[in-house]
């Protein structure tokens, strides 16, 4: 095809280049609005699979959102949902890794509180008792310590979040397990007449872990240890703390018995109101839904 000289002269003015009318126009890159809209539609399609609990299909679709729309907010949402899938499939270690990567990569994102709470939930789920494992008191406490630290950090940073009550309940439970372990070790030493080591473990538990609900039990055990160490004054002081600060505890009974053994005059048990155990679940407490509601979607 022959192109006239006049048309060649006009080509720069018309924004044309190369042979005129011989090539198809090059496709234009999608606009930012089109990119965001495509990302939203792809994420919503993946979310449908997620809500249907079709985990493998949802995983594939969410990974595609992350790959194809890496610069959109939906890539970040897809990253959270992928960690949620691991959590729902009880792959707690993988879920923790995913949530932590999200927090590290997007520290200022609105979804960080949710991701941090889910780390706490996954750590908490990992330390549940099973019939096939030794009791919590006999196991390695590394996972429980990790959960304790994460929960304390979360509550310190987000004291008024919608997950605060659930986190507080988990913290009481985790703290109780840590104290229970220390008392287990203390009793181990006590049975072997290693009274000094037993006393140190109990003192550590009382000083390090506050709010476990096991303080009366620990104080009575510490008093018993002091009695075996021939330290009656120290034993009496700990037993008095039980009576003064925990009058509704069932450990008031052995505390009174030990005081009488030590020659103390103890009045009859006063009538006290029944106080619910500190480890009881708060009213209305519930497992937060996955995926979360609100702006994350």
């Amino acid at each position: 095809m022959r192109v006239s000289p006049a048309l060649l002269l006009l080509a720069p003015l018309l924004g044309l280049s190369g042979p005129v009318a011989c090539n198809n126009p090059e496709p234009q890159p999608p606009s930012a609005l089109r990119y965001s809209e495509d990302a939203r539609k792809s994420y919503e399609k993946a979310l449908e699979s997620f809500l249907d609990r079709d985990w493998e299909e949802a995983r594939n679709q969410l990974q595609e959102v992350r790959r194809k729309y890496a610069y959109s907010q939906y890539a970040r949402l897809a990253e959270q949902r992928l960690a949620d899938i691991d959590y729902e499939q009880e792959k707690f270690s993988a879920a923790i890794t995913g949530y932590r990567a999200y927090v590290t990569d997007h520290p200022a994102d609105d979804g960080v509180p949710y991701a941090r709470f889910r780390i706490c939930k996954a750590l908490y789920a990992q330390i549940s008792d099973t019939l096939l494992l030794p009791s919590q008191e006999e196991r390695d406490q590394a996972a429980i310590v990790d959960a304790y630290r994460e929960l304390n950090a979360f509550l310190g940073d987000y004291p008024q979040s919608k997950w605060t009550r659930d986190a507080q309940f988990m913290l009481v439970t985790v703290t109780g397990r840590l104290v229970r372990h220390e008392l287990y070790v203390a009793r181990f030493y006590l049975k072997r007449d290693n009274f000094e080591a037993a006393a140190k473990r109990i003192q550590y538990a009382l000083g390090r872990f506050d709010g476990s609900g096991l303080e009366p039990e620990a104080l009575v055990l510490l008093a018993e240890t002091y009695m075996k160490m021939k330290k009656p004054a120290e034993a009496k002081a700990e037993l008095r703390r039980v009576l003064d600060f925990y009058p509704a505890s069932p450990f008031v009974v052995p505390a009174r018995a030990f005081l009488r053994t030590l020659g103390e005059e103890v009045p009859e048990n006063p009538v006290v109101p029944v106080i619910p155990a500190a480890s009881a679940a708060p009213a209305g407490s519930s497992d937060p839904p996955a995926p979360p509601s609100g702006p994350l979607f």
Side-chain angles (χ1 to χ4, degrees):
M1 174 182 178
R2 184 178 179 182
V3 181
S4 69
L7 187 56
L8 288 175
L9 292 174
L10 289 173
L13 299 177
L14 298 173
L16 303 176
S17 61
V20 179
C22 292
N23 292 334
N24 294 326
E26 294 183 2
Q28 297 298 312
S31 66
L33 182 61
R34 176 68 179 274
Y35 177 84
S36 180
E37 182 65 13
D38 289 347
R40 181 186 66 80
K41 289 179 179 179
S42 296
Y43 175 73
E44 289 179 351
K45 183 178 179 181
L47 194 58
E48 289 179 5
S49 299
F50 182 100
L51 295 174
D52 288 339
R53 304 181 71 83
D54 186 352
W55 302 131
E56 294 310 312
E57 181 64 21
R59 188 185 297 275
N60 292 333
Q61 292 172 330
L62 289 165
Q63 287 172 341
E64 179 70 6
V65 172
R66 287 188 66 192
R67 183 192 67 79
K68 195 171 181 180
Y69 304 103
Y71 300 103
S72 73
Q73 62 172 323
Y74 299 101
R76 300 194 299 274
L77 292 173
E79 189 174 344
Q80 280 198 349
R81 300 294 77 73
L82 286 166
D84 286 339
I85 290 174
D86 286 327
Y87 182 92
E88 292 298 326
Q89 293 183 309
E90 298 186 0
K91 300 175 182 178
F92 298 122
S93 294
I96 291 167
T97 299
Y99 291 129
R100 282 180 169 161
Y102 179 92
V103 172
T104 300
D105 295 341
H106 314 290
D109 196 80
D110 291 342
V112 167
Y114 171 79
R116 287 186 56 185
F117 176 71
R118 295 291 281 188
I119 292 171
C120 296
K121 286 283 294 180
L123 288 167
Y124 184 79
Q126 283 185 317
I127 62 176
S128 298
D129 290 315
T130 73
L131 296 175
L132 302 179
L133 295 174
S135 66
Q136 285 289 347
E137 293 84 356
E138 300 177 62
R139 297 184 219 168
D140 179 74
Q141 302 296 295
I144 303 179
V145 171
D146 198 4
Y148 177 82
R149 289 172 178 165
E150 287 286 349
L151 285 162
N152 271 299
F154 176 82
L155 289 168
D157 292 339
Y158 308 105
Q160 301 297 327
S161 79
K162 62 182 177 181
W163 302 293
T164 294
R165 294 191 68 190
D166 295 277
Q168 288 171 337
F169 168 67
M170 287 190 289
L171 181 59
V172 169
T173 304
V174 168
T175 304
R177 290 185 173 183
L178 289 171
V179 173
R180 183 70 66 192
H181 172 73
E182 296 300 324
L183 299 185
Y184 170 84
V185 175
R187 289 189 174 96
F188 174 86
Y189 286 130
L190 197 58
K191 290 178 181 178
R192 287 155 180 77
D193 295 335
N194 191 344
F195 306 134
E196 192 70 33
K200 286 182 179 178
R201 295 305 289 251
I202 302 168
Q203 290 165 346
Y204 171 77
L206 288 167
R208 177 69 179 84
F209 304 111
D210 187 34
S212 70
L214 298 174
E215 290 83 359
E217 179 180 352
L219 290 170
V220 169
L221 185 60
L222 182 57
E224 182 182 357
T225 304
Y226 283 147
M227 290 170 68
K228 294 185 176 183
M229 295 171 72
K230 310 300 182 185
K231 295 182 176 181
E234 289 85 344
K236 290 179 182 178
E238 303 305 334
L239 295 168
R240 287 291 180 187
R241 287 177 63 188
V242 176
L243 300 185
D244 292 342
F245 295 105
Y246 308 98
S249 169
F251 284 91
V252 164
V253 175
R256 290 175 178 278
F258 280 139
L259 282 170
R260 291 191 179 100
T261 300
L262 293 168
E264 288 283 298
E265 292 186 5
V266 184
E268 294 299 321
N269 292 351
V271 177
V272 295
V274 177
I275 300 176
S279 59
S285 175
S286 60
D287 192 29
S293 59
L296 292 181
F297 279 23

